[in-house]
Amino acid sequence: MKATSRGTFVLFVLVLILVLSGALAPAATASPWGNPTAISIASSANPSSFGQSITLTAKVTSEVPGPAPLTGKVAFKDDRKVIGIVDLADGGATLNTSSLAAGEHNLTAAYSGDANYAPSISDVLDQSVIEPTVSFSGSPQQPLTANGDLLAYVTITNTGNVTVNSVQVKSATLGSGSLHSAPAPLTNLEPGQGAVVTLTFPASAVSSTAATAPLKLNLTYTVKNPPLNGTWNLNFPSVSLH
């Protein structure tokens, strides 16, 4: 072997050793599809309640400067299902959604790439959506007013995590007296929202000398999304009459 060839071979071996050892790592360069990119995904609320609107945010970056700003689109996915496609703007994209079903979700964001930058896909974001629940609390006005009949004003509050489309007092008792007639239903009570119902009882429901009496309400409710129907009881052991 000639000296020149032997020297070239030795140099090649030394460079190969340095590359394999990491001492001579090649600088990041553009891939055949454009400058390499990375994308991340974040949620505004995790866990979230069923029906709650959350904001998914994606950020796209590239360590290799390109000749132009990042453009293209970001597809937000729930497992393999695309739940939204958004134009990239200033390296970011956001999607508002309230359509995630109750349970666990594997969310990702996929960048489409453009003429200068390569596509990329984010790590999985584990998003939890809490099961839908319906519950109520109540607060009677103190005291109840007496004007021939006894009137009870009760604030009914939706303490669940879904919008209740209809809530109605189907039956109620004050002392030993029953409700004269059912009031109109309350409609579209959002989580945390309350509304007042007026209940009318005959004066004979309680003794004219009584200062307090128990008040019991039976409610029926309807939820459209997801479909839920049921009953709920509110009991007040002692409410003021005068």
Side-chain angles (χ1 to χ4, degrees), residues 52-71:
Q52 176 184 352
S53 179
I54 63 173
T55 300
L56 300 177
T57 302
K59 292 291 185 182
V60 181
T61 58
S62 177
E63 294 182 0
V64 180
L70 287 154
T71 60

Side-chain angles (χ1 to χ4, degrees), residues 10-216:
V10 171
L11 178 61
F12 171 77
V13 171
L14 289 173
V15 171
L16 180 61
I17 292 172
L18 290 171
V19 170
L20 292 176
S21 67
L24 187 60
T29 58
S31 73
W33 303 276
N35 296 307
T37 62
I39 182 171
S40 62
I41 182 174
S43 170
S44 62
N46 192 8
S48 59
S49 297
F50 178 84
Q52 176 184 352
S53 179
I54 63 173
T55 300
L56 300 177
T57 302
K59 292 291 185 182
V60 181
T61 58
S62 177
E63 294 182 0
V64 180
L70 287 154
T71 60
K73 296 182 181 296
V74 172
F76 292 90
K77 297 182 179 181
D78 181 3
D79 288 320
R80 295 183 179 181
K81 178 184 177 183
V82 175
I83 57 176
I85 298 177
V86 181
D87 289 328
L88 189 69
D90 297 324
T94 59
L95 176 72
N96 296 320
T97 181
S98 59
S99 62
L100 296 180
E104 301 299 320
H105 297 264
N106 298 322
L107 304 182
T108 56
Y111 171 53
S112 66
D114 61 15
N116 301 298
Y117 294 94
S120 56
I121 188 167
S122 71
D123 292 335
V124 173
L125 170 66
D126 296 323
Q127 175 75 37
S128 297
V129 179
I130 301 172
E131 293 283 349
T133 60
V134 176
S135 60
F136 299 98
S137 67
S139 176
Q141 175 179 308
Q142 301 282 351
L144 306 182
T145 60
N147 183 15
D149 293 325
L150 294 172
L151 301 180
Y153 303 97
V154 178
T155 299
I156 297 174
T157 302
N158 175 12
T159 54
N161 63 3
V162 291
T163 296
V164 179
N165 300 94
S166 176
V167 187
Q168 185 167 25
V169 177
K170 297 297 291 185
S171 63
T173 57
L174 175 66
S176 61
S178 298
L179 187 67
H180 263 330
S181 60
L186 307 175
T187 57
N188 298 322
L189 278 184
E190 296 181 358
Q193 184 180 23
V196 178
V197 295
T198 301
L199 310 175
T200 306
F201 299 93
S204 59
V206 295
S207 167
S208 59
T209 60
T212 63
L215 175 62
K216 299 181 179 181

